[in-house]
Amino acid sequence: MIPPNNYLYEMVRSELSWAVGDDHVQTGDADKLGHSIDYYWVPEVWHDRGQKLPPPDFVVYPASAKEVSEILKIANTHKIPVIPWGGGSGSQGGALPIYGGIVMDMKRMNKVLNIDPASMTATAETGINTQHLEWAIEKAGFSTMHFPASIACATLGGFIANRGTGVLSTKYGKIEDMVMTLEVVTPSGEIINTLPVPRHASGPDLTQLFLGSEGTLGVVTKATIKIHPIPESRKFHAFLFKTMHEAMIAGSKIMTSRLRPCVIRLYDEPETAKLIKRVLGIDKKGAYLVFGFDGPAQIVDLELEQACAICREKDHEDLGTEMGQAWWDHRYKFFYPPYMFHLPQAFGTLDTVATFANIEKVYWAMKNVVHENFPQAAFIGHFSHWYEWGCMLYARFIIEAPPKDPHEAVALYNKIWDMAIRAAIKEGGVINEHHGVGLKLGRIMKELYGPAFKVLEDIKKTLDPNNIMNPGKMGFPSKGI
Amino acid sequence: MHMDKHQDVIAACRFCFMCRHLDPVGNVTFQESDTPRGRALILDTIRMKNESLRNRDFIATIYRSALSGANRYHCVSHYDEVGLVLAARKDIVEAGLAPENVKALTETLSRATFTVKGKGTTLYYGDHLELYPGCKIVSGGDPGKALEVLGFGDDSQKVFDRFRSAVVASKCTTLIVAEPSAYDFLKDKFDGIEVVHCSEHLLSGKWKAKPARKAFYLESDFLKNYDGNPAAPRELLARYGYTLTLFGTNNEESYSVGEGAVVFDELNPGLCEKLCRRVYDLAGNLKTALFITPSRYVKATLTKYNPQIRVMTLEEAVAQRKEQ
Ligand SMILES: Cc1cc2nc3c(=O)[nH]c(=O)nc-3n(C[C@H](O)[C@H](O)[C@H](O)COP(=O)(O)OP(=O)(O)OC[C@H]3O[C@@H](n4cnc5c(N)ncnc54)[C@H](O)[C@@H]3O)c2cc1C
Ligand code: SF4
């Protein structure tokens, strides 16, 4: 952090203004405040308890890869941290300027540059809000099929940086499956492009290196993604099972029989009782399973019928298409206040992914560890993103009345994470599936990767020798306080 | 503080990102502070530390809001973030902290006086008396809405009292209002006088079928997001042969270039120009596209920053077809 009364502050500001224009370098309190808090619970509670949040020194809004490059060169000269910021909707503290420096807000880079109907791809600048992107693509008669709950909050670049995912991931993939190629500005300011197609045998895939790099290896400025036709039909169906285990058997059988649902979601008994009741008004005991198929109408009907037949093999209550459609119609409602958990509650999403063989073990390991060690915490979960081999557990802990003292509250919060995550890793879980690592989980990276983490560390050192890019995130070295 | 009545909104919006894509100002400045979350964070800071109300940057941000109803309309719980900002503006004004440009504007607006002319049993408040035979017309400045949104409640009331006196003296029992902001303001203000939007009144008249003509309909932020989205404006235009096309990429965003803040262009011309540019950019060919808006503010503002754009108010669109 450069003290504003130090004349170096003005030197850097002048350089940045020269690079992007006066209007695009903000140093006012209002914008600094907005950029000091993302969707991570810790800065929220810090603010709520009147604590000072580390602000950025400058918030800079580049309009092109060239301007991004200029900013990175300035940052290298002065060895100032640069923190890319998309929509700030990340839940891991990834975009927080913990050491001050330059927050590089990408939202000015928001153009759809090209829609290629022949290849069904679209190219856009990465600061584009994903709802705006989807609207533009829909206007051209297609869809990105990327429908995360934060579609209206987040940017394309944020999803790329966090390996994010949308509701229809089971059929259309996560963001790393959607991206064709990237333009990246490396920490030294060089503008590079990865190979134009994702399937090749020309060495390791650089696109995948930057996907999930959380702004630590460079700034992603442009992306070409796949787009899709609007499906002729999309249908849903819901079932209620006596236990989560029975529902899991049905869900995994749908996947391993290689049916191609666009979405499956399974809520454990406590979440069915709490959230499904509150948001959808379904007041029943058991585990709620919903799935959907889309595509040509005849195929959808056939696949849906087969999936229903699998569910009917177990003791079930058929909630029909209506209760499935209701879930789809209200899928974002869960995330609006007051439906979403909120302060004074403490809450965290213990996002974990594992194979079908391990996923229930992961669930029970986390749940038991939370219950045994933190009797004040509730544990609920649903299984969100399903693949041929396993699925993601979107588990949450919730404490209704965490300690008033912010330090105590954060210490308790971190302890729950530490214990729950380690329990999950032991059972074969990977932390995590789509939220990223950020500040929140950096301390676990070495444990998660083992010796392989050195490979990532070496890449970081090579690309970013001055450690200007988002220091202290993803388990990479901090700047020191 | 007036803001205290909106604690629920602060609590909901301060950490919520769900409607940021619809904030007209945030969509052109890209600043986090120009979103419902950003403003709620500022006001939460002021809630905790009252002296932060003096922060000039916070005040400027609060006066930069376009007060668009699109966000509240989108929000599944309809939290009234605009209500919160209006309360904050009142607190700023009462603390004597209103920015100089706001104060200067207030002086002009406070001087409004109103006169009634013509003969009839119905009173019309707008610019196109030729469409309302048998009506009297009341004219003058803004009836108090602009002062209200600027946070000057007492001054707004004084202006409105003058407006009311003029209306009462006219002895009319129906008041037809053309400008959506004024309609929004006046519709709940009178006892014994019915306030109707001009489109409702015009819809009750006779018309002749006209050949089809394509136009983009720019929704009014007030009519759509605050006043129950009446069907009358669209029905009226359809009757007069206009085939309305969706503008932009979606029907959630407000393209009304600051209409919700009534005097947005007077206060923030540079920013208002950016809002207009967003419309021009989305429009494609400005020379061939025709826009219809219920608001003369929107028309005046869009044509100010690019005279090439072809915009008509709803009343002009009707008047033009009546003449044909
Ligand atoms: C209500 C809500 C619901 C959510 N639901 C989902 C969901 O369904 N699926 C999901 O995946 N996530 C979800 N999230 C989390 C969040 O939206 C994602 O993590 C998203 O990827 C963050 O994008 P952002 O643009 O907000 O990035 P930010 O939060 O601004 O940044 C996230 C990280 O990306 C880096 N970054 C941002 N832009 C760039 C760039 N151009 N180049 C390099 N690095 C960059 C930042 O430095 C930071 O490390 C949700 C969040 C909220 C608030
Ligand atoms: S108005 Fe609703 S959606 Fe918008 S920030 Fe507030 S709570 Fe969230």
Side-chain angles (χ1 to χ4, degrees):
Chain A
M1 192 123 45
I2 317 171
N5 58 359
N6 183 332
Y7 55 69
L8 181 62
Y9 185 88
E10 288 307 330
M11 308 308 281
V12 177
R13 196 214 312 236
S14 305
E15 288 187 53
L16 292 170
S17 292
W18 190 255
V20 296
D22 290 339
D23 283 355
H24 308 302
V25 180
Q26 293 293 331
T27 54
D29 294 334
D31 216 24
K32 282 185 180 178
L33 174 62
H35 285 95
S36 306
I37 304 175
D38 64 0
Y39 198 49
Y40 180 25
W41 183 80
V42 168
E44 290 183 1
V45 80
W46 220 243
H47 166 85
D48 182 67
R49 307 289 154 87
Q51 301 293 303
K52 193 161 166 36
L53 294 145
D57 294 307
F58 310 96
V59 184
V60 180
Y61 298 82
S64 65
K66 194 165 168 296
E67 289 186 1
V68 170
S69 163
E70 291 299 320
I71 296 164
L72 295 185
K73 285 175 188 162
I74 295 166
N76 266 304
T77 304
H78 297 284
K79 305 211 171 25
I80 309 172
V82 177
I83 306 96
W85 178 287
S89 70
S91 52
Q92 315 297 78
L96 296 176
I98 46 176
Y99 306 114
I102 300 165
V103 161
M104 186 189 283
D105 189 316
M106 298 299 292
K107 289 196 286 290
R108 238 178 113 211
M109 294 187 62
N110 64 354
K111 287 182 213 59
V112 177
L113 300 167
N114 182 40
I115 295 175
D116 171 359
S119 324
M120 298 280 272
T121 64
T123 303
E125 293 177 326
T126 53
I128 191 167
N129 175 289
T130 41
Q131 179 65 81
H132 294 177
L133 173 64
E134 174 63 20
W135 280 334
I137 302 293
E138 279 177 15
K139 189 145 194 189
F142 306 102
S143 170
T144 62
M145 294 297 174
H146 181 56
F147 295 115
S150 54
I151 186 167
C153 331
T155 60
L156 178 59
F159 282 108
I160 288 169
N162 277 355
R163 289 174 84 94
T165 194
V167 184
L168 301 184
S169 56
T170 299
K171 177 166 178 182
Y172 296 98
K174 293 182 68 209
I175 198 83
E176 63 264 31
D177 306 308
M178 297 178 169
V179 167
M180 302 283 295
T181 175
L182 298 175
E183 177 187 82
V184 180
V185 185
T186 65
S188 59
E190 204 161 335
I191 302 169
I192 62 164
N193 287 282
T194 63
L195 294 180
V197 293
R199 295 280 176 263
H200 61 80
S202 302
D205 192 20
L206 272 188
T207 304
Q208 292 296 331
L209 174 67
F210 292 105
L211 273 151
S213 63
E214 303 190 9
T216 62
L217 301 181
V219 183
V220 183
T221 44
K222 196 161 76 180
T224 299
I225 56 167
K226 298 172 197 167
I227 55 175
H228 303 271
I230 309 284
E232 183 191 355
S233 165
R234 181 176 288 146
K235 286 188 181 162
F236 300 89
H237 207 106
F239 285 87
L240 192 78
F241 289 87
K242 285 236 156 54
T243 63
M244 184 191 88
H245 175 66
E246 285 176 357
M248 175 57 76
I249 291 175
S252 57
K253 192 163 174 198
I254 291 173
M255 291 311 300
T256 52
S257 64
R258 298 301 185 241
L259 292 170
R260 288 287 308 278
C262 51
V263 59
I264 304 195
R265 219 155 255 201
L266 159 61
Y267 293 78
D268 72 355
E269 297 89 335
E271 191 157 342
T272 301
K274 205 172 179 134
L275 278 186
I276 292 298
K277 179 177 165 195
R278 192 152 178 234
V279 177
L280 302 186
I282 302 174
D283 188 4
K284 291 186 184 269
K285 280 206 172 101
Y288 172 87
L289 177 79
V290 60
F291 47 80
F293 290 85
D294 69 10
Q298 283 177 316
I299 298 178
V300 166
D301 288 344
L302 195 67
E303 287 205 286
L304 195 70
E305 195 36 55
Q306 294 215 9
C308 288
I310 289 173
C311 292
R312 288 184 187 121
E313 287 167 10
K314 293 271 158 214
D315 193 3
H316 70 277
E317 181 180 345
D318 191 337
L319 299 175
T321 51
E322 213 173 281
M323 286 298 137
Q325 184 67 41
W327 175 85
W328 174 253
D329 295 342
H330 295 287
R331 65 193 185 280
Y332 297 146
K333 189 173 169 185
F334 295 86
F335 294 88
Y336 286 81
Y339 301 99
M340 187 58 195
F341 298 107
H342 50 84
L343 285 168
Q345 290 168 319
F347 50 91
T349 301
L350 300 160
D351 160 351
T352 316
V353 57
T355 57
F356 286 127
N358 291 333
I359 193 74
E360 283 188 87
K361 286 189 261 168
V362 167
Y363 172 91
W364 285 109
M366 286 213 268
K367 188 170 176 132
N368 290 339
V369 97
V370 170
H371 278 171
E372 280 158 22
N373 297 283
F374 309 98
Q376 71 276 49
F379 181 96
I380 60 174
H382 60 265
F383 299 86
S384 255
H385 301 278
W386 295 60
Y387 307 102
E388 294 96 330
W389 43 262
C391 62
M392 178 257 191
L393 167 58
Y394 196 110
R396 283 198 185 113
F397 67 83
I398 306 118
I399 300 176
E400 292 299 330
K404 288 259 175 297
D405 177 82
H407 292 273
E408 273 180 46
V410 172
L412 171 66
Y413 182 83
N414 285 345
K415 184 159 263 158
I416 300 177
W417 274 99
D418 285 343
M419 294 183 80
I421 285 173
R422 288 182 168 111
I425 293 175
K426 231 189 238 166
E427 297 298 341
V430 169
I431 302 288
N432 61 52
E433 196 260 355
H434 69 257
H435 288 99
V437 181
L439 179 63
K440 189 196 263 179
L441 301 176
R443 63 186 180 281
I444 309 288
M445 285 294 270
K446 280 199 174 116
E447 247 169 277
L448 183 68
Y449 272 79
F453 192 66
K454 180 151 188 318
V455 178
L456 286 181
E457 283 179 318
D458 289 348
I459 292 170
K460 167 75 174 167
K461 267 185 220 148
T462 308
L463 283 179
D464 185 15
N466 291 325
N467 192 21
I468 58 159
M469 290 306 309
N470 211 357
K473 309 289 172 59
M474 242 179 70
F476 290 142
S478 67
K479 268 278 179 226
I481 302 180
Chain B
M1 288 175 109
H2 295 284
M3 270 168 33
D4 296 340
K5 291 180 211 116
H6 300 266
Q7 289 300 343
D8 60 327
V9 183
I10 295 186
C13 300
R14 64 183 180 160
F15 303 133
C16 175
F17 294 74
M18 296 301 280
C19 66
R20 64 138 70 248
H21 63 307
L22 295 174
D23 193 292
V25 177
N27 278 344
V28 296
T29 65
F30 310 109
Q31 290 180 213
E32 286 295 319
S33 48
D34 291 325
T35 64
R37 178 189 82 104
R39 289 186 289 267
L41 275 175
I42 288 173
L43 299 176
D44 197 29
T45 304
I46 295 171
R47 173 186 70 84
M48 290 188 279
K49 248 204 259 159
N50 286 180
E51 64 270 24
S52 300
L53 186 64
R54 310 193 77 80
N55 185 309
R56 302 313 303 181
D57 196 42
F58 287 178
I59 292 173
T61 306
I62 295 305
Y63 275 100
R64 213 162 48 226
S65 167
L67 304 179
S68 167
N71 296 72
R72 184 180 74 171
Y73 192 75
H74 168 89
C75 175
V76 298
S77 313
H78 302 303
Y79 282 104
D80 186 9
E81 191 260 335
V82 168
L84 168 66
V85 171
L86 291 176
R89 288 184 175 189
K90 276 194 201 162
D91 289 326
I92 291 167
V93 169
E94 286 175 16
L97 296 167
E100 286 309 315
N101 60 343
V102 172
K103 278 198 236 160
L105 192 54
T106 306
E107 277 176 29
T108 316
L109 292 165
S110 301
R111 286 198 289 268
T113 52
F114 302 92
T115 51
V116 175
K117 284 190 189 145
K119 283 189 186 154
T121 51
T122 300
L123 188 60
Y124 166 66
Y125 177 52
D127 297 333
H128 288 273
L129 190 59
E130 76 277 10
L131 289 174
Y132 307 88
C135 287
K136 291 179 182 171
I137 184 165
V138 54
S139 49
D142 180 272
K145 178 73 177 175
L147 284 162
E148 185 183 64
V149 302
L150 289 172
F152 290 79
D154 293 346
D155 302 71
S156 162
Q157 187 58 41
K158 281 181 202 151
V159 171
F160 172 68
D161 288 344
R162 293 202 286 273
F163 185 84
R164 179 170 39 205
S165 300
V167 172
V168 171
S170 77
K171 301 222 167 38
C172 296
T173 51
T174 303
L175 173 65
I176 304 164
V177 182
E179 187 60 18
S181 61
Y183 169 70
D184 178 74
F185 181 65
L186 296 171
K187 70 182 189 329
D188 304 319
K189 285 250 177 200
F190 285 100
D191 273 339
I193 291 173
E194 191 194 9
V195 177
V196 295
H197 184 251
C198 64
S199 57
E200 290 172 65
H201 180 85
L202 292 170
L203 205 52
S204 60
K206 288 187 182 143
W207 77 96
K208 275 197 212 137
K210 300 283 176 190
R213 188 175 181 191
K214 274 191 185 163
F216 287 122
Y217 180 60
L218 287 178
E219 299 275 5
S220 155
D221 211 341
F222 282 109
L223 295 183
K224 179 169 180 249
N225 296 316
Y226 290 111
D227 300 326
N229 200 6
R234 273 180 244 98
E235 275 177 29
L236 182 68
L237 289 167
R239 273 190 192 176
Y240 282 91
Y242 293 98
T243 313
L244 301 178
T245 324
L246 176 74
F247 178 71
T249 56
N250 66 91
N251 57 14
E252 281 205 86
E253 249 179 290
S254 166
Y255 299 111
S256 66
V257 297
E259 179 203 9
V262 189
V263 281
F264 190 76
D265 185 40
E266 283 91 330
L267 270 192
N268 303 290
L271 194 50
C272 196
E273 186 177 353
K274 284 187 186 165
L275 295 187
C276 292
R277 273 216 211 105
R278 187 163 162 79
V279 175
Y280 309 144
D281 289 348
L282 283 167
N285 190 341
L286 272 192
K287 285 192 190 144
T288 54
L290 172 66
F291 292 84
I292 301 177
T293 165
S295 162
R296 71 179 167 204
Y297 163 88
V298 173
K299 177 187 167 171
T301 311
L302 281 172
T303 45
K304 175 178 164 189
Y305 293 108
N306 190 340
Q308 283 196 330
I309 190 168
R310 296 195 306 148
V311 196
M312 289 195 283
T313 64
L314 183 85
E315 289 177 310
E316 284 168 349
V318 171
Q320 200 186 66
R321 290 246 129 167
K322 279 202 165 194
E323 280 163 18
Q324 283 171 356

